[in-house]
Structure formats: structure tokens, C-alpha cells
Amino acid sequence: MRLLQTLADILARNKLSSDPSTQLFGPFNSRFQRRWRKPTVNARTRLEGRTLDTKLDKLLINLVKLKAILSLEHLMSTRKRGPFTSVQLMSRWRSIVGINVSIGAFIHKYPHIFKVFNHPIQRNLCCRITGEMKGLLEDEERAVRMLELDSVRKIKKLLMMSVNGQLHIHALRLIQRELGLPSDFRESILAKYSGDFRLVNLEIVELVDRDEELGVAVIEKWRENEFTEKWLSEYETRYAFPISFPTGFIIGRGMREKMKNWQRLPYVKPYERKEAVRVRTCGGLERFEKHAVGIIHELLCLTVEKLVEVERLAHFRKDFAMEVNIRELILKHPGIFYISIKGSSQVVFLREAYSRGCLVEPNPIYVVRRRMLELISMGCRNTRALSASKETQEKKLECRGHEGVSARDGDWVLPILESAKDRSLER
């Protein structure tokens, strides 16, 4: 009786559910089978399931803070009343800068960058940039001006990678800080070096003549090093890329063989003449994607900090003939690139250029920006010690000013020598 009752309950449930996929499995509905569906693999699933790199994520968090601080400094510098701004006025810039907390709480977090004081006449709370931060900003601008010829070389290499030797100035303007270009690069570089660049119109720049000496990718040095020092064959290194997976990355079954075949796959290099790649041929899609990987790799090598926002890379798709989903392409190669989503945008890093969150081969602009990040990471630490040391230095300068002439180095040696001479005479 109990068996019949359970069978009756199963039949009643099956009658209520009209969808075959929702029916329970039993002796009277065994003809319905659930079809196995292959899990979808796209850019979203790859982004959610990627192995995290905590060092690069932490670096990006500090870079986002530095970006907000530089935006505040730019807005403060545009004020004509003086080198300071009232905190009440700065509170209106919160949406422009992109800060989630209040301006007052934000500037109090970084006393090494912002100096808060009361206005002597109006008695309201004001803020200005500290001398240390101003010095770093001047050092950065000086380094950018010093590397002017390097900026010319970078723009020429980007134009040589394009299909017809032309680029949109708007695309260059979006990554001018990443490339280390001056803010007025249109006048100071493009118009100044008219023998190298030609302005087709207001928004397009063209390369006058190709320089074949610059047509060598940065990765070719690594390939030559692998060939000469590690005694690897040319077949293994001619089209290979350096791969380093993050800690905790799991290499799946058959992945090593796929990577080995992909490393050996020939492709059109970034500075070679563009040829029509038939995608429908055998290996055509893989070669087309590897060509796009080579262009992104070379562009990241030309940047100061070997990183750039993914959305800004999309502005180079037509100029570089990269008609692919750039984010999905980057996520397919976690050993070459790393996407961090800390902040409001997605930033791609070149993995081989970093070691423990620091650049392997630093440059003058990166060194200055790294010192800015150190001020951010200090937070509220050592503020009392710094203020005390500044007060003591000021007091010493005042005392020396009252005395007129300061004591010279080496004056204390004369009494010691005279005492030693007297002792020798007494003996």
C-alpha cells in the first residue's frame, strides 16, 4: 500500500508540471532525459574565474587614489585667487574627481599631500598642496621634458604599427599620461617635429617617412636572449612570448600542449607590412589573434608603467586592424596580460614587466610617480615627526641668521691639535 501511495504522489506531481525538464525522474517518466549543456566561456566568465594577482591589484588601488589626487591638484591650480582653495568649494568637485567619501575625509587621509589650514582673514577652512608634492610634480614635468626625443620615438613607432601610417590625435590624448607625453604634445612634439609628422587635419596625424631602425619590437630582445643564453632553437623562440602565470594558477589538462603550439605559431609582427590574413583558413583565426596580441604587447612596452585601460585600447582597433574583442583576447592569455578591476575601470598590466608589484626596468618618470605612491601609502604616519623636524630646522636657520656667520666645518679640530701639541712639549 505504501508503494502504491508513493507512486500516486509521483504521478500527481508529474501532472502538475507541464515542462518535461522540471519532471522528477521515476519509473513512469524515464523517457524524459535532461540534456547536458556545455558551460559558456566568454569574457565575463573568464574575468570572474581568473586567478587574482594581489600585488598588481594593490598597485592599481594606489594608482586610482593618485589619479584622484592629481585631478584635485589640477582643479586647484586653475583657481586664480591663489595657491589654496576653500574646502567648501572642493566639496563640489567630488563627482568630477570620482571620490566616494567626502572631500574633507579624503584630504585628511593624506597630510603629506594636502595641507589644511584656517584662512587668516575669512577664517574658513582652506587647503593647499604641500611643498613635497609640488616638488614631485615639478620633477615629473622636468623628466617628461627631458625625455622629449623618447616621446618622438614612441609616437613614430605607434604610427609605424598602424595600417596606413595614421593615428587619431584623440586616441593619443587618451593615453598621453601612460606614454609619458607632455600635456601640450600637439604643439611641443607634433608641430615642432614637422619633418617626422604631418597633420592631415585637426584630429589625424601621419608619419612622413618610415624609420626601419625603429621597426624592431621590444620582445625581439627577449627572443634573442632566449636563443643565445638558454640555447633554445629558433623554431621555439622566433614567435614566442614570455609567459608567467600568477601564483595559484591551475594549468588544465592539455593546456601545456596548446601553449607550446601557440608559441610556435607564426604571425605578422607589429612592424611588418600588413598582409591579408584569411581567417577561415587553417590557423587563420589563431594567427590573426596572435597578431593582435603582438600589437597590444608592443603598445604596453611603450608605456611608462606598462599598463593602460582596456577601454582606451579600443580606440586603436581600426588604426591597428584589431577587429576583435580586446578584453576577451586579453583574458585568453593570462600568462602575458593581467586585467585588474580595482576601481571604476579595467586596467591591463604586462605581466613580464612586473616583479612583486614593482617595475623590473624603471625609468625616470616611473621613479617620480613611485615616490608619489609612497606619499599616498604613508597616509597619516610620521606627520608629527616631520612637523617637529621642520620646526627644528627653522629654529636652526633663525639662530644662524641672528649670529651672522655660522661656524665653519673643521673649526673644532684646531683646539684638539693645540692641546696635543702642548702635551708633547711638556714631555
Side-chain angles (χ1 to χ4, degrees), residues 268 273-279:
V268 180
R273 294 294 182 180
K274 306 298 181 295
E275 301 175 358
V277 180
R278 297 181 180 180
V279 178

Side-chain angles (χ1 to χ4, degrees), residues 241-253:
F241 285 84
I243 293 179
S244 61
F245 293 106
T247 304
F249 184 83
I250 300 175
I251 299 177
R253 182 181 298 177

Side-chain angles (χ1 to χ4, degrees), residues 164-427:
N164 52 2
Q166 295 181 354
L167 280 178
H168 288 78
I169 299 177
H170 175 68
L172 290 175
R173 193 178 293 113
L174 288 175
I175 61 170
Q176 66 176 11
R177 177 173 171 79
E178 286 80 1
L179 291 174
L181 303 179
S183 57
D184 58 341
F185 71 94
R186 184 189 177 95
E187 293 78 18
S188 62
I189 293 181
L190 300 183
K192 181 179 179 181
Y193 295 90
S194 57
D196 298 323
F197 310 110
R198 181 190 302 117
L199 293 174
V200 179
N201 52 38
L202 295 177
E203 284 299 325
I204 294 180
V205 60
E206 185 181 14
L207 184 65
V208 176
D209 292 321
R210 289 178 62 91
D211 189 357
E212 298 301 332
E213 293 181 358
L214 298 177
V216 180
V218 179
I219 196 174
E220 296 297 334
K221 297 179 181 178
W222 175 84
R223 290 170 180 169
E224 184 180 356
N225 186 24
E226 294 287 308
F227 177 73
T228 56
E229 295 187 2
K230 295 189 177 181
W231 295 79
L232 296 177
S233 63
E234 186 180 0
Y235 177 66
E236 297 286 341
T237 61
R238 187 175 181 182
Y239 301 103
F241 285 84
I243 293 179
S244 61
F245 293 106
T247 304
F249 184 83
I250 300 175
I251 299 177
R253 182 181 298 177
M255 191 173 178
R256 294 181 186 274
E257 191 67 25
K258 290 181 180 179
M259 285 192 300
K260 190 178 293 184
N261 295 332
W262 186 85
Q263 291 279 59
R264 298 169 179 171
L265 183 69
Y267 71 100
V268 180
K269 296 183 180 181
Y271 298 105
E272 293 180 356
R273 294 294 182 180
K274 306 298 181 295
E275 301 175 358
V277 180
R278 297 181 180 180
V279 178
R280 295 186 179 181
T281 57
C282 181
L285 180 61
E286 289 78 7
R287 292 180 183 180
F288 184 75
E289 290 184 349
K290 193 170 183 180
H291 169 68
V293 169
I295 290 178
I296 297 173
H297 186 280
E298 182 66 13
L299 192 148
L300 288 174
C301 289
L302 295 177
T303 57
V304 175
E305 298 165 312
K306 315 306 178 193
L307 59 91
V308 72
E309 292 186 11
V310 179
E311 293 181 358
R312 298 183 180 183
L313 280 177
H315 292 269
F316 294 91
R317 287 179 60 190
K318 292 184 179 179
D319 294 331
F320 290 157
M322 297 188 301
E323 298 297 332
V324 293
N325 188 343
I326 293 180
R327 187 179 68 165
E328 187 173 358
L329 178 66
I330 291 172
L331 290 169
K332 280 184 180 179
H333 303 279
I336 305 175
F337 310 110
Y338 176 73
I339 289 184
S340 179
I341 57 175
K342 298 294 182 181
S344 59
S345 59
Q346 299 176 3
V347 178
V348 55
F349 290 84
L350 188 62
R351 288 199 53 82
E352 66 189 77
Y354 280 88
S355 176
R356 297 181 179 180
C358 298
L359 208 62
V360 177
E361 297 179 358
N363 50 75
I365 303 177
Y366 170 79
V367 171
V368 178
R369 293 178 183 176
R370 192 73 188 184
R371 288 164 61 188
M372 294 181 187
L373 294 179
E374 290 175 359
L375 290 181
I376 293 174
S377 60
M378 286 177 69
C380 297
R381 291 177 292 180
N382 300 331
T383 52
R384 294 183 180 179
L386 286 173
S387 60
S389 63
K390 288 180 181 179
E391 290 178 359
T392 54
Q393 288 178 2
E394 291 176 358
K395 289 181 180 179
K396 288 181 179 179
L397 291 174
E398 290 177 359
C399 294
R400 289 185 178 181
H402 290 303
E403 291 176 1
V405 181
S406 59
R408 296 174 298 174
D409 294 337
D411 289 348
W412 56 275
V413 182
L414 295 176
I416 298 175
L417 294 176
E418 291 177 357
S419 62
K421 186 177 179 181
D422 294 338
R423 290 176 183 175
S424 62
L425 290 174
E426 290 176 0
R427 291 179 182 177

Side-chain angles (χ1 to χ4, degrees), residues 109-124:
K109 283 183 179 180
Y110 310 107
H112 296 274
I113 299 174
F114 299 103
K115 177 67 176 178
V116 182
F117 62 96
N118 289 320
H119 196 276
I121 299 174
Q122 298 180 0
R123 297 297 179 182
N124 59 340

